[in-house]
Amino acid sequence: MHSINCENFRDRPEPAASVLYVVGTPIGNLSDLSPRAKLILSKVSFIACEDTRRAQILLKSFEAKTPLISFHKHNTKSRIPKLLEHLQSGESLALISDAGLPGISDPGEELVSEIKNKGYEVICIPGPCAAIAALVSSGLPSKRFCFEGFLPTKTKERKKAIEAISKEERTTVIYESPHRIMNLLEDLSNSCGEDRPLQLARELTKRYEQTLGSNIGEVLKYLKEHKIKGEFTIVLGGLSKQPVIEKDKTELLIEINSLISQGTSKSEAIKKVSEENNYSRRVLYSLLHEQSG
Ligand code: SAM
């Protein structure tokens, strides 16, 4: 059996100077922290973290004492120059969020972009991500998928987002806070219909982990009957393409003639049949012409 030595399998030892490591951390189960993540978090000069108290708990689990710098959505702008100074002076940095992968509905994207713009290296130490864990265990198509994260909270934007999601043919992954989950499922039910396939991943990697399905209606029913709590990720099946039923020319002609016999003008009848069947008006005219000729 091969074993991977975390420190030596690259040409240079990790962590390297002036590098930002984006480190994935557990979404509920501490055992999901990888040996390489532990090594990086123990040895970098500083860790930028969303919540220093939560980060302390994580570090304590493997007895690391790395200095922490708070980095969250409210201090992103002012912290980025300070973090850049650390890289400039040759120090190494790790970025973690409260759970999962930084940059996925968590702070990180702006920092990574700034650091790369300034020419520094960014390396990801991959780890758990609720969206990916929910997707791959959903049984819904994962070859191509969309990630929506949290939907907008403002009514108009939210409605627009849900409408677009309802028309999406790929599987869509959505994050939602526990107190809004019922509302979101109701909204999805109204726009996608109760029968649309849906898997609701609850408390992934934790003690009460559960996946509910198999469609919006069933999940809504379950949630109304069982008051369940926890963190949720929605995996929504895509809109299935309606099979196009192509009518043959005779059927189209029958429809046009029937409208004309009911008093519709020739041009109106052709327009209507053309729109309803997504069929060229020009071709319909020539069909009618051939019939009378
Ligand atoms: N960066 C994180 C990641 O990589 O998954 C996501 C952070 S986002 C602020 C938090 C949301 O992720 C939650 O509201 C929930 O929708 C989802 N989530 C996080 N942990 C979860 C879990 N254990 N089970 C199900 N969903 C989870």
Side-chain angles (χ1 to χ4, degrees), residues 27 97 99-102 104-106 128-131 150 175-177 201-206 231-233:
I27 55 171
S97 63
L101 276 174
I104 303 296
S105 301
D106 267 341
C129 173
F150 292 99
Y175 284 159
E176 189 50 289
S177 62
R202 172 187 171 234
E203 296 284 87
L204 287 162
T205 78
K206 302 185 197 176
E231 294 201 89
F232 299 97
T233 296

Side-chain angles (χ1 to χ4, degrees), residues 148-162 165 174-176 180 184 187:
E148 283 288 335
F150 292 99
L151 300 188
T153 48
K154 288 191 182 140
T155 316
K156 203 171 152 197
E157 287 157 36
R158 190 175 176 85
K159 210 172 152 200
K160 212 169 143 194
I162 289 174
I165 289 169
I174 309 169
Y175 284 159
E176 189 50 289
R180 287 216 192 96
L184 178 55
D187 289 346

